[in-house]
Amino acid sequence: MIKKLIVSLKNKMTKKEKEISIYILNNMKEILSLTSSEMADNIGVSQSSIIKFIKKLGFNKFGEFKIQVTKELENAKQNKDKIHNEIYLDDSLEDLSAKVFNETVKAMEDTLKTIDHKYFENVIDVIRQSHKILLIGSGMSSIVAKDLEIKLIKIRIDALHYESSHMQLMKLATMDEQDLVIAISHRGETEDVIDVIKKAKKKGIKVLSITSIEKNTVADFSDFNLKVISEENNFRSSAISSRMAQLILNDIIFLRLTQTDYEKRKKYIKESRDLIKKSDN
């Protein structure tokens, strides 16, 4: 987790913070026996710089940071961690349930810690001001895209999701600079998604992506990028947790948009519910 948090802040670090981050990554074991003052002396920075950086990572106190370091070292040593380890064929239902739950909670907590709220607010404004929105994502990411489509439609934002790349391109042909493409791809290397993004950029259409925190092609081509932290392997509970973390971002986007014009949005949601009730009767 600490490594991923540092990676997420890499482009926002001062020179001093980069020196601190390098020291942390290279001296995890040694840190456990150091005070913040001793660590500062070893790096050649002030103690206050250490404390500020630790808080930037999401820890309130240096002691809290050291506890997390201890946990991560123990996990690496044991190579068997209920939160991070793979689901085995002989796991009990109780163990399996705990692993899925814990991994999902951890992914959401880690993602929350990396959110730059000022940047996120700008993303919300871009969504709100866009005339039409095309949501793209294939496979499991399509579920997340569909969820966001439904949420945006509820508050009368013109949004459409197509899983088919052909339909995505057909829709893209009707869009212009006042519109937005939202691309959801955890690994950020899905060829069809990258192709649509490139074509959108050629038309001058803004692109917002939701991807993993690791460097990836989809994020590189996007104007805006929201990151999710989750270890994603072939047969892991994290394949579920990454999706859940993305869905939480959807909820934040929906609720923030609803806040911006609450009375009007509330009316739209009520009208939608009423129409659905009438169709059910």
Side-chain angles (χ1 to χ4, degrees):
M1 175 182 132
I2 290 175
K3 181 179 179 181
K4 286 187 173 290
L5 289 173
I6 287 174
V7 170
S8 72
L9 297 172
K10 186 177 180 181
N11 296 328
K12 303 172 188 176
M13 289 185 193
T14 64
K15 185 179 178 181
K16 281 185 180 179
E17 288 173 339
K18 287 180 180 178
E19 291 175 0
I20 296 170
S21 68
I22 292 170
Y23 182 87
I24 290 172
L25 294 175
N26 293 333
N27 300 275
M28 295 280 276
K29 290 182 180 179
E30 290 77 5
I31 287 171
L32 296 181
S33 61
L34 299 176
T35 64
S36 59
S37 177
E38 290 170 337
M39 181 172 159
D41 289 340
N42 289 349
I43 302 171
V45 298
S46 66
Q47 184 182 17
S48 62
S49 295
I50 298 294
I51 300 304
K52 286 179 182 177
F53 184 71
I54 295 305
K55 288 185 176 180
K56 196 168 185 177
L57 291 179
F59 302 97
N60 294 320
K61 298 178 181 179
F62 189 70
E64 182 182 325
F65 165 71
K66 286 175 68 174
I67 290 172
Q68 182 60 36
V69 171
T70 302
K71 288 180 180 178
E72 294 188 19
L73 289 173
E74 287 177 351
N75 291 342
K77 183 179 179 181
Q78 296 173 2
N79 195 28
K80 184 173 174 61
D81 179 6
K82 284 190 177 181
I83 294 177
H84 300 289
N85 207 16
E86 295 182 1
I87 296 173
Y88 295 105
L89 291 175
D90 59 353
D91 278 342
S92 67
L93 179 57
E94 182 180 1
D95 286 341
L96 186 149
S97 300
K99 287 180 181 181
V100 172
F101 178 81
N102 290 332
E103 182 70 25
T104 300
V105 170
K106 184 178 184 301
M108 291 188 288
E109 288 178 342
D110 289 351
T111 298
L112 182 62
K113 286 180 180 179
T114 66
I115 291 177
D116 180 334
H117 290 92
K118 185 176 180 181
Y119 180 84
F120 206 149
E121 197 74 74
N122 291 336
V123 169
I124 297 294
D125 286 338
V126 170
I127 296 173
R128 184 168 54 83
Q129 294 167 16
S130 297
H131 287 194
K132 290 183 287 187
I133 296 175
L134 171 63
L135 294 126
I136 61 175
S138 61
M140 300 303 287
S141 294
S142 178
I143 296 172
V144 181
K146 189 66 180 178
D147 174 77
L148 186 54
E149 175 200 36
I150 293 169
K151 284 180 167 64
L152 294 179
I153 289 173
K154 279 184 180 179
I155 51 178
R156 289 198 187 177
I157 291 178
D158 189 354
L160 277 175
H161 164 60
Y162 297 109
E163 188 171 2
S164 163
S165 59
H166 295 294
M167 291 299 296
Q168 291 168 8
L169 293 172
M170 287 176 66
K171 178 62 180 178
L172 193 67
T174 70
M175 299 169 68
D176 57 34
E177 295 88 348
Q178 299 182 79
D179 302 323
L180 175 69
V181 170
I182 299 180
I184 300 170
S185 174
H186 183 69
R187 297 184 183 227
E189 300 298 340
T190 306
E191 290 185 10
D192 288 345
V193 173
I194 294 169
D195 181 54
V196 174
I197 289 175
K198 285 181 177 179
K199 288 180 169 66
K201 297 291 290 179
K202 285 182 180 179
K203 287 173 63 69
I205 300 169
K206 294 183 290 296
V207 176
L208 161 65
S209 60
I210 300 176
T211 67
S212 74
I213 200 168
E214 306 295 342
K215 181 176 175 59
N216 62 80
T217 306
V218 169
D220 288 344
F221 278 111
S222 302
D223 299 287
F224 307 92
N225 178 244
L226 297 177
K227 305 179 190 303
V228 168
I229 296 184
S230 174
E231 298 290 342
E232 183 99 52
N233 285 334
N234 291 332
F235 186 66
R236 293 188 58 149
S237 54
S238 52
I240 300 169
S241 68
S242 62
R243 186 173 73 253
M244 293 303 295
Q246 290 170 341
L247 290 170
I248 289 297
L249 290 183
N250 283 359
D251 288 334
I252 295 171
I253 290 169
F254 170 71
L255 292 170
R256 190 58 172 163
L257 286 168
T258 301
Q259 278 183 321
T260 57
D261 197 350
Y262 179 67
E263 291 304 321
K264 187 187 292 184
R265 305 290 189 195
K266 183 175 71 172
K267 179 184 174 184
Y268 295 157
I269 293 171
K270 184 179 184 302
E271 288 177 354
S272 175
R273 286 175 178 169
D274 289 344
L275 284 171
I276 293 170
K277 283 181 180 178
K278 287 179 181 178
S279 66
D280 289 341
N281 295 332

